[in-house]
Amino acid sequence: LEKKQFIPYLQPVVDGTTHEVTGAEVLMRWQHPQSGLIPPYQFIPLAEESGLIVPMTRLIMTQVREQFGPLAAQLPKNFHFGFNICASHFKDLSLAEDCKAFIDAFRENPINLVLELTERELIEPGEITSSLFHTLRQMGVLIALDDFGTGHSSLAYLQKFHIDILKIDQSFIGRIGTD
């Protein structure tokens, strides 16, 4: 983390009808000096367990903001950036500060910011969580539930946190028609 070896990889989001790039999901990779590019499944669970996932995500958001903020005018209208976040991000209000800084970097051509909640940990409702969701919603940040059907998701979860986007996991869809 101190050596900034965690880097953003952007996966384009393409409109299925127009075939235009409408956004990017920002994925984290570890660029290790000896081992090369390390995939997320090899380090994200440990980062979440150790509590380092929050500063790692903050680093990634800063890198993308600094790289693409100056290029805002060149992005398509209504372009969006999506970042994966986990339950640990809802323990303090630094997420709102990071989102505000990110959005402010694109004032020349406003973008949509999407936070994709991962389901490995359950988000605990509470005063800080409610305040954070309220603040994010006021800023126009969209909340997506990533990989729905694989973790702690339920209809109650969707209602409680007012999810804007539901990303259904392919393993969930793959079983349609089989049972």
Side-chain angles (χ1 to χ4, degrees), residues 110-141:
I111 51 91
N112 293 307
L113 178 57
V114 180
L115 299 180
E116 299 184 13
L117 303 174
T118 60
E119 292 196 72
R120 287 181 290 274
E121 297 175 55
L122 183 65
I123 295 176
E124 297 292 336
E127 195 172 312
I128 291 175
T129 303
S130 295
S131 175
L132 191 51
F133 268 100
H134 177 73
T135 301
L136 293 172
R137 195 157 301 289
Q138 282 187 321
M139 283 192 281
V141 175

PDB file of all heavy atoms in Angstrom, residues 110-141:
ATOM      1  N   PRO A 110     -19.704  16.602 -15.720  1.00  0.00           N
ATOM      2  CA  PRO A 110     -20.081  15.742 -14.600  1.00  0.00           C
ATOM      3  C   PRO A 110     -20.269  14.271 -15.000  1.00  0.00           C
ATOM      4  O   PRO A 110     -20.824  13.957 -16.052  1.00  0.00           O
ATOM      5  CB  PRO A 110     -21.393  16.340 -14.110  1.00  0.00           C
ATOM      6  CG  PRO A 110     -21.314  17.779 -14.514  1.00  0.00           C
ATOM      7  CD  PRO A 110     -20.582  17.765 -15.832  1.00  0.00           C
ATOM      8  N   ILE A 111     -19.772  13.418 -14.142  1.00  0.00           N
ATOM      9  CA  ILE A 111     -19.894  11.968 -14.323  1.00  0.00           C
ATOM     10  C   ILE A 111     -20.863  11.434 -13.273  1.00  0.00           C
ATOM     11  O   ILE A 111     -21.265  12.149 -12.354  1.00  0.00           O
ATOM     12  CB  ILE A 111     -18.518  11.261 -14.168  1.00  0.00           C
ATOM     13  CG1 ILE A 111     -17.807  11.671 -12.859  1.00  0.00           C
ATOM     14  CG2 ILE A 111     -17.624  11.568 -15.336  1.00  0.00           C
ATOM     15  CD1 ILE A 111     -18.070  10.838 -11.689  1.00  0.00           C
ATOM     16  N   ASN A 112     -21.233  10.190 -13.436  1.00  0.00           N
ATOM     17  CA  ASN A 112     -22.018   9.493 -12.427  1.00  0.00           C
ATOM     18  C   ASN A 112     -21.070   8.584 -11.658  1.00  0.00           C
ATOM     19  O   ASN A 112     -20.265   7.870 -12.256  1.00  0.00           O
ATOM     20  CB  ASN A 112     -23.136   8.669 -13.070  1.00  0.00           C
ATOM     21  CG  ASN A 112     -24.179   9.544 -13.718  1.00  0.00           C
ATOM     22  OD1 ASN A 112     -24.716  10.447 -13.095  1.00  0.00           O
ATOM     23  ND2 ASN A 112     -24.459   9.306 -14.990  1.00  0.00           N
ATOM     24  N   LEU A 113     -21.168   8.615 -10.353  1.00  0.00           N
ATOM     25  CA  LEU A 113     -20.357   7.760  -9.500  1.00  0.00           C
ATOM     26  C   LEU A 113     -21.244   6.646  -8.961  1.00  0.00           C
ATOM     27  O   LEU A 113     -22.312   6.912  -8.403  1.00  0.00           O
ATOM     28  CB  LEU A 113     -19.748   8.570  -8.357  1.00  0.00           C
ATOM     29  CG  LEU A 113     -18.899   7.807  -7.347  1.00  0.00           C
ATOM     30  CD1 LEU A 113     -17.734   7.077  -8.016  1.00  0.00           C
ATOM     31  CD2 LEU A 113     -18.392   8.760  -6.271  1.00  0.00           C
ATOM     32  N   VAL A 114     -20.795   5.417  -9.163  1.00  0.00           N
ATOM     33  CA  VAL A 114     -21.544   4.244  -8.700  1.00  0.00           C
ATOM     34  C   VAL A 114     -20.679   3.502  -7.691  1.00  0.00           C
ATOM     35  O   VAL A 114     -19.529   3.170  -7.978  1.00  0.00           O
ATOM     36  CB  VAL A 114     -21.897   3.291  -9.877  1.00  0.00           C
ATOM     37  CG1 VAL A 114     -22.671   2.082  -9.374  1.00  0.00           C
ATOM     38  CG2 VAL A 114     -22.674   4.033 -10.951  1.00  0.00           C
ATOM     39  N   LEU A 115     -21.234   3.260  -6.523  1.00  0.00           N
ATOM     40  CA  LEU A 115     -20.565   2.440  -5.522  1.00  0.00           C
ATOM     41  C   LEU A 115     -21.229   1.075  -5.532  1.00  0.00           C
ATOM     42  O   LEU A 115     -22.436   0.956  -5.324  1.00  0.00           O
ATOM     43  CB  LEU A 115     -20.674   3.077  -4.131  1.00  0.00           C
ATOM     44  CG  LEU A 115     -20.041   4.450  -3.984  1.00  0.00           C
ATOM     45  CD1 LEU A 115     -20.224   4.966  -2.563  1.00  0.00           C
ATOM     46  CD2 LEU A 115     -18.567   4.434  -4.362  1.00  0.00           C
ATOM     47  N   GLU A 116     -20.423   0.057  -5.804  1.00  0.00           N
ATOM     48  CA  GLU A 116     -20.945  -1.305  -5.910  1.00  0.00           C
ATOM     49  C   GLU A 116     -20.658  -2.048  -4.615  1.00  0.00           C
ATOM     50  O   GLU A 116     -19.511  -2.349  -4.299  1.00  0.00           O
ATOM     51  CB  GLU A 116     -20.302  -2.012  -7.101  1.00  0.00           C
ATOM     52  CG  GLU A 116     -20.598  -1.314  -8.406  1.00  0.00           C
ATOM     53  CD  GLU A 116     -20.043  -2.053  -9.617  1.00  0.00           C
ATOM     54  OE1 GLU A 116     -19.645  -3.231  -9.475  1.00  0.00           O
ATOM     55  OE2 GLU A 116     -20.035  -1.453 -10.699  1.00  0.00           O
ATOM     56  N   LEU A 117     -21.713  -2.315  -3.867  1.00  0.00           N
ATOM     57  CA  LEU A 117     -21.573  -3.019  -2.600  1.00  0.00           C
ATOM     58  C   LEU A 117     -21.291  -4.490  -2.858  1.00  0.00           C
ATOM     59  O   LEU A 117     -22.062  -5.165  -3.534  1.00  0.00           O
ATOM     60  CB  LEU A 117     -22.857  -2.911  -1.775  1.00  0.00           C
ATOM     61  CG  LEU A 117     -23.369  -1.519  -1.457  1.00  0.00           C
ATOM     62  CD1 LEU A 117     -24.722  -1.601  -0.760  1.00  0.00           C
ATOM     63  CD2 LEU A 117     -22.380  -0.777  -0.602  1.00  0.00           C
ATOM     64  N   THR A 118     -20.189  -4.963  -2.327  1.00  0.00           N
ATOM     65  CA  THR A 118     -19.891  -6.386  -2.422  1.00  0.00           C
ATOM     66  C   THR A 118     -20.635  -7.094  -1.300  1.00  0.00           C
ATOM     67  O   THR A 118     -20.986  -6.486  -0.290  1.00  0.00           O
ATOM     68  CB  THR A 118     -18.379  -6.652  -2.318  1.00  0.00           C
ATOM     69  OG1 THR A 118     -17.908  -6.172  -1.062  1.00  0.00           O
ATOM     70  CG2 THR A 118     -17.626  -5.964  -3.453  1.00  0.00           C
ATOM     71  N   GLU A 119     -20.861  -8.384  -1.473  1.00  0.00           N
ATOM     72  CA  GLU A 119     -21.694  -9.114  -0.522  1.00  0.00           C
ATOM     73  C   GLU A 119     -20.930 -10.039   0.405  1.00  0.00           C
ATOM     74  O   GLU A 119     -21.526 -10.867   1.067  1.00  0.00           O
ATOM     75  CB  GLU A 119     -22.725  -9.936  -1.285  1.00  0.00           C
ATOM     76  CG  GLU A 119     -23.761  -9.108  -1.989  1.00  0.00           C
ATOM     77  CD  GLU A 119     -24.933  -9.961  -2.376  1.00  0.00           C
ATOM     78  OE1 GLU A 119     -25.678 -10.354  -1.473  1.00  0.00           O
ATOM     79  OE2 GLU A 119     -25.078 -10.243  -3.566  1.00  0.00           O
ATOM     80  N   ARG A 120     -19.620  -9.913   0.446  1.00  0.00           N
ATOM     81  CA  ARG A 120     -18.854 -10.807   1.311  1.00  0.00           C
ATOM     82  C   ARG A 120     -19.114 -10.544   2.788  1.00  0.00           C
ATOM     83  O   ARG A 120     -18.994 -11.433   3.609  1.00  0.00           O
ATOM     84  CB  ARG A 120     -17.363 -10.712   0.980  1.00  0.00           C
ATOM     85  CG  ARG A 120     -17.018 -11.384  -0.348  1.00  0.00           C
ATOM     86  CD  ARG A 120     -15.535 -11.310  -0.654  1.00  0.00           C
ATOM     87  NE  ARG A 120     -15.089  -9.960  -0.972  1.00  0.00           N
ATOM     88  CZ  ARG A 120     -15.136  -9.422  -2.181  1.00  0.00           C
ATOM     89  NH1 ARG A 120     -15.621 -10.098  -3.191  1.00  0.00           N
ATOM     90  NH2 ARG A 120     -14.696  -8.200  -2.388  1.00  0.00           N
ATOM     91  N   GLU A 121     -19.431  -9.292   3.125  1.00  0.00           N
ATOM     92  CA  GLU A 121     -19.752  -8.923   4.502  1.00  0.00           C
ATOM     93  C   GLU A 121     -21.125  -8.267   4.512  1.00  0.00           C
ATOM     94  O   GLU A 121     -21.495  -7.585   3.570  1.00  0.00           O
ATOM     95  CB  GLU A 121     -18.762  -7.893   5.047  1.00  0.00           C
ATOM     96  CG  GLU A 121     -17.338  -8.321   5.162  1.00  0.00           C
ATOM     97  CD  GLU A 121     -16.468  -7.141   5.614  1.00  0.00           C
ATOM     98  OE1 GLU A 121     -16.769  -6.536   6.651  1.00  0.00           O
ATOM     99  OE2 GLU A 121     -15.507  -6.836   4.895  1.00  0.00           O
ATOM    100  N   LEU A 122     -21.840  -8.443   5.597  1.00  0.00           N
ATOM    101  CA  LEU A 122     -23.140  -7.821   5.761  1.00  0.00           C
ATOM    102  C   LEU A 122     -22.968  -6.394   6.258  1.00  0.00           C
ATOM    103  O   LEU A 122     -22.209  -6.156   7.201  1.00  0.00           O
ATOM    104  CB  LEU A 122     -23.971  -8.631   6.768  1.00  0.00           C
ATOM    105  CG  LEU A 122     -25.395  -8.172   7.032  1.00  0.00           C
ATOM    106  CD1 LEU A 122     -26.237  -8.320   5.764  1.00  0.00           C
ATOM    107  CD2 LEU A 122     -25.994  -8.992   8.166  1.00  0.00           C
ATOM    108  N   ILE A 123     -23.656  -5.454   5.635  1.00  0.00           N
ATOM    109  CA  ILE A 123     -23.640  -4.067   6.115  1.00  0.00           C
ATOM    110  C   ILE A 123     -24.605  -3.999   7.283  1.00  0.00           C
ATOM    111  O   ILE A 123     -25.777  -4.360   7.163  1.00  0.00           O
ATOM    112  CB  ILE A 123     -24.051  -3.079   5.014  1.00  0.00           C
ATOM    113  CG1 ILE A 123     -23.011  -3.095   3.899  1.00  0.00           C
ATOM    114  CG2 ILE A 123     -24.223  -1.675   5.576  1.00  0.00           C
ATOM    115  CD1 ILE A 123     -23.370  -2.226   2.720  1.00  0.00           C
ATOM    116  N   GLU A 124     -24.093  -3.534   8.410  1.00  0.00           N
ATOM    117  CA  GLU A 124     -24.914  -3.417   9.614  1.00  0.00           C
ATOM    118  C   GLU A 124     -25.616  -2.064   9.619  1.00  0.00           C
ATOM    119  O   GLU A 124     -24.957  -1.027   9.516  1.00  0.00           O
ATOM    120  CB  GLU A 124     -24.049  -3.556  10.867  1.00  0.00           C
ATOM    121  CG  GLU A 124     -23.376  -4.912  11.006  1.00  0.00           C
ATOM    122  CD  GLU A 124     -24.342  -6.043  11.275  1.00  0.00           C
ATOM    123  OE1 GLU A 124     -25.447  -5.791  11.801  1.00  0.00           O
ATOM    124  OE2 GLU A 124     -23.998  -7.193  10.941  1.00  0.00           O
ATOM    125  N   PRO A 125     -26.945  -2.066   9.742  1.00  0.00           N
ATOM    126  CA  PRO A 125     -27.634  -0.784   9.831  1.00  0.00           C
ATOM    127  C   PRO A 125     -27.281  -0.087  11.139  1.00  0.00           C
ATOM    128  O   PRO A 125     -27.053  -0.734  12.152  1.00  0.00           O
ATOM    129  CB  PRO A 125     -29.119  -1.165   9.778  1.00  0.00           C
ATOM    130  CG  PRO A 125     -29.185  -2.621  10.049  1.00  0.00           C
ATOM    131  CD  PRO A 125     -27.830  -3.199   9.798  1.00  0.00           C
ATOM    132  N   GLY A 126     -27.191   1.215  11.093  1.00  0.00           N
ATOM    133  CA  GLY A 126     -26.870   2.002  12.275  1.00  0.00           C
ATOM    134  C   GLY A 126     -26.878   3.467  11.918  1.00  0.00           C
ATOM    135  O   GLY A 126     -27.154   3.856  10.778  1.00  0.00           O
ATOM    136  N   GLU A 127     -26.551   4.310  12.889  1.00  0.00           N
ATOM    137  CA  GLU A 127     -26.592   5.751  12.681  1.00  0.00           C
ATOM    138  C   GLU A 127     -25.599   6.220  11.621  1.00  0.00           C
ATOM    139  O   GLU A 127     -25.937   6.999  10.733  1.00  0.00           O
ATOM    140  CB  GLU A 127     -26.312   6.457  14.014  1.00  0.00           C
ATOM    141  CG  GLU A 127     -26.673   7.918  13.994  1.00  0.00           C
ATOM    142  CD  GLU A 127     -26.566   8.550  15.374  1.00  0.00           C
ATOM    143  OE1 GLU A 127     -27.084   7.964  16.341  1.00  0.00           O
ATOM    144  OE2 GLU A 127     -25.947   9.625  15.455  1.00  0.00           O
ATOM    145  N   ILE A 128     -24.361   5.714  11.686  1.00  0.00           N
ATOM    146  CA  ILE A 128     -23.346   6.122  10.702  1.00  0.00           C
ATOM    147  C   ILE A 128     -23.738   5.630   9.312  1.00  0.00           C
ATOM    148  O   ILE A 128     -23.655   6.370   8.330  1.00  0.00           O
ATOM    149  CB  ILE A 128     -21.946   5.609  11.098  1.00  0.00           C
ATOM    150  CG1 ILE A 128     -21.456   6.345  12.349  1.00  0.00           C
ATOM    151  CG2 ILE A 128     -20.951   5.790   9.957  1.00  0.00           C
ATOM    152  CD1 ILE A 128     -20.139   5.843  12.901  1.00  0.00           C
ATOM    153  N   THR A 129     -24.201   4.391   9.219  1.00  0.00           N
ATOM    154  CA  THR A 129     -24.609   3.821   7.927  1.00  0.00           C
ATOM    155  C   THR A 129     -25.743   4.636   7.318  1.00  0.00           C
ATOM    156  O   THR A 129     -25.702   4.997   6.143  1.00  0.00           O
ATOM    157  CB  THR A 129     -25.030   2.353   8.092  1.00  0.00           C
ATOM    158  OG1 THR A 129     -23.947   1.632   8.668  1.00  0.00           O
ATOM    159  CG2 THR A 129     -25.409   1.729   6.765  1.00  0.00           C
ATOM    160  N   SER A 130     -26.756   4.936   8.110  1.00  0.00           N
ATOM    161  CA  SER A 130     -27.896   5.723   7.617  1.00  0.00           C
ATOM    162  C   SER A 130     -27.450   7.106   7.161  1.00  0.00           C
ATOM    163  O   SER A 130     -27.869   7.591   6.108  1.00  0.00           O
ATOM    164  CB  SER A 130     -28.959   5.856   8.705  1.00  0.00           C
ATOM    165  OG  SER A 130     -29.504   4.610   9.006  1.00  0.00           O
ATOM    166  N   SER A 131     -26.612   7.736   7.964  1.00  0.00           N
ATOM    167  CA  SER A 131     -26.105   9.061   7.618  1.00  0.00           C
ATOM    168  C   SER A 131     -25.305   9.023   6.319  1.00  0.00           C
ATOM    169  O   SER A 131     -25.446   9.891   5.458  1.00  0.00           O
ATOM    170  CB  SER A 131     -25.240   9.592   8.765  1.00  0.00           C
ATOM    171  OG  SER A 131     -24.661  10.815   8.412  1.00  0.00           O
ATOM    172  N   LEU A 132     -24.487   8.000   6.187  1.00  0.00           N
ATOM    173  CA  LEU A 132     -23.657   7.869   4.988  1.00  0.00           C
ATOM    174  C   LEU A 132     -24.510   7.645   3.746  1.00  0.00           C
ATOM    175  O   LEU A 132     -24.316   8.302   2.724  1.00  0.00           O
ATOM    176  CB  LEU A 132     -22.656   6.727   5.174  1.00  0.00           C
ATOM    177  CG  LEU A 132     -21.551   6.599   4.148  1.00  0.00           C
ATOM    178  CD1 LEU A 132     -20.820   7.902   3.917  1.00  0.00           C
ATOM    179  CD2 LEU A 132     -20.571   5.523   4.579  1.00  0.00           C
ATOM    180  N   PHE A 133     -25.492   6.735   3.827  1.00  0.00           N
ATOM    181  CA  PHE A 133     -26.373   6.506   2.677  1.00  0.00           C
ATOM    182  C   PHE A 133     -27.110   7.788   2.309  1.00  0.00           C
ATOM    183  O   PHE A 133     -27.234   8.115   1.128  1.00  0.00           O
ATOM    184  CB  PHE A 133     -27.374   5.379   2.972  1.00  0.00           C
ATOM    185  CG  PHE A 133     -26.894   4.026   2.543  1.00  0.00           C
ATOM    186  CD1 PHE A 133     -26.360   3.141   3.468  1.00  0.00           C
ATOM    187  CD2 PHE A 133     -26.980   3.617   1.222  1.00  0.00           C
ATOM    188  CE1 PHE A 133     -25.914   1.889   3.081  1.00  0.00           C
ATOM    189  CE2 PHE A 133     -26.534   2.367   0.824  1.00  0.00           C
ATOM    190  CZ  PHE A 133     -26.005   1.505   1.758  1.00  0.00           C
ATOM    191  N   HIS A 134     -27.587   8.524   3.307  1.00  0.00           N
ATOM    192  CA  HIS A 134     -28.303   9.772   3.060  1.00  0.00           C
ATOM    193  C   HIS A 134     -27.395  10.798   2.368  1.00  0.00           C
ATOM    194  O   HIS A 134     -27.786  11.424   1.376  1.00  0.00           O
ATOM    195  CB  HIS A 134     -28.846  10.326   4.385  1.00  0.00           C
ATOM    196  CG  HIS A 134     -29.544  11.639   4.244  1.00  0.00           C
ATOM    197  ND1 HIS A 134     -30.797  11.756   3.675  1.00  0.00           N
ATOM    198  CD2 HIS A 134     -29.154  12.893   4.570  1.00  0.00           C
ATOM    199  CE1 HIS A 134     -31.155  13.027   3.661  1.00  0.00           C
ATOM    200  NE2 HIS A 134     -30.172  13.742   4.197  1.00  0.00           N
ATOM    201  N   THR A 135     -26.182  10.956   2.879  1.00  0.00           N
ATOM    202  CA  THR A 135     -25.228  11.907   2.308  1.00  0.00           C
ATOM    203  C   THR A 135     -24.872  11.530   0.875  1.00  0.00           C
ATOM    204  O   THR A 135     -24.838  12.386  -0.014  1.00  0.00           O
ATOM    205  CB  THR A 135     -23.953  11.971   3.178  1.00  0.00           C
ATOM    206  OG1 THR A 135     -24.320  12.366   4.505  1.00  0.00           O
ATOM    207  CG2 THR A 135     -22.936  12.941   2.604  1.00  0.00           C
ATOM    208  N   LEU A 136     -24.610  10.252   0.635  1.00  0.00           N
ATOM    209  CA  LEU A 136     -24.265   9.794  -0.711  1.00  0.00           C
ATOM    210  C   LEU A 136     -25.415  10.048  -1.679  1.00  0.00           C
ATOM    211  O   LEU A 136     -25.211  10.501  -2.805  1.00  0.00           O
ATOM    212  CB  LEU A 136     -23.896   8.303  -0.686  1.00  0.00           C
ATOM    213  CG  LEU A 136     -22.616   7.949   0.062  1.00  0.00           C
ATOM    214  CD1 LEU A 136     -22.474   6.429   0.173  1.00  0.00           C
ATOM    215  CD2 LEU A 136     -21.388   8.560  -0.600  1.00  0.00           C
ATOM    216  N   ARG A 137     -26.624   9.760  -1.241  1.00  0.00           N
ATOM    217  CA  ARG A 137     -27.794   9.964  -2.093  1.00  0.00           C
ATOM    218  C   ARG A 137     -27.948  11.445  -2.434  1.00  0.00           C
ATOM    219  O   ARG A 137     -28.248  11.796  -3.583  1.00  0.00           O
ATOM    220  CB  ARG A 137     -29.037   9.441  -1.379  1.00  0.00           C
ATOM    221  CG  ARG A 137     -30.201   9.285  -2.310  1.00  0.00           C
ATOM    222  CD  ARG A 137     -31.239   8.315  -1.847  1.00  0.00           C
ATOM    223  NE  ARG A 137     -30.833   6.950  -1.618  1.00  0.00           N
ATOM    224  CZ  ARG A 137     -30.512   6.072  -2.558  1.00  0.00           C
ATOM    225  NH1 ARG A 137     -30.515   6.429  -3.813  1.00  0.00           N
ATOM    226  NH2 ARG A 137     -30.192   4.838  -2.258  1.00  0.00           N
ATOM    227  N   GLN A 138     -27.713  12.333  -1.464  1.00  0.00           N
ATOM    228  CA  GLN A 138     -27.805  13.777  -1.710  1.00  0.00           C
ATOM    229  C   GLN A 138     -26.765  14.237  -2.725  1.00  0.00           C
ATOM    230  O   GLN A 138     -27.010  15.169  -3.486  1.00  0.00           O
ATOM    231  CB  GLN A 138     -27.631  14.555  -0.412  1.00  0.00           C
ATOM    232  CG  GLN A 138     -28.854  14.560   0.461  1.00  0.00           C
ATOM    233  CD  GLN A 138     -28.688  15.471   1.656  1.00  0.00           C
ATOM    234  OE1 GLN A 138     -27.617  15.548   2.249  1.00  0.00           O
ATOM    235  NE2 GLN A 138     -29.753  16.179   2.005  1.00  0.00           N
ATOM    236  N   MET A 139     -25.608  13.581  -2.751  1.00  0.00           N
ATOM    237  CA  MET A 139     -24.547  13.935  -3.710  1.00  0.00           C
ATOM    238  C   MET A 139     -24.833  13.368  -5.096  1.00  0.00           C
ATOM    239  O   MET A 139     -24.125  13.678  -6.036  1.00  0.00           O
ATOM    240  CB  MET A 139     -23.199  13.388  -3.222  1.00  0.00           C
ATOM    241  CG  MET A 139     -22.580  14.169  -2.115  1.00  0.00           C
ATOM    242  SD  MET A 139     -20.854  13.680  -1.839  1.00  0.00           S
ATOM    243  CE  MET A 139     -21.064  12.196  -0.907  1.00  0.00           C
ATOM    244  N   GLY A 140     -25.831  12.499  -5.209  1.00  0.00           N
ATOM    245  CA  GLY A 140     -26.135  11.894  -6.499  1.00  0.00           C
ATOM    246  C   GLY A 140     -25.389  10.602  -6.757  1.00  0.00           C
ATOM    247  O   GLY A 140     -25.405  10.078  -7.876  1.00  0.00           O
ATOM    248  N   VAL A 141     -24.725  10.063  -5.738  1.00  0.00           N
ATOM    249  CA  VAL A 141     -24.007   8.796  -5.881  1.00  0.00           C
ATOM    250  C   VAL A 141     -25.028   7.667  -5.992  1.00  0.00           C
ATOM    251  O   VAL A 141     -25.989   7.610  -5.225  1.00  0.00           O
ATOM    252  CB  VAL A 141     -23.073   8.549  -4.674  1.00  0.00           C
ATOM    253  CG1 VAL A 141     -22.423   7.182  -4.750  1.00  0.00           C
ATOM    254  CG2 VAL A 141     -22.016   9.645  -4.597  1.00  0.00           C
TER     255      VAL A 141
END
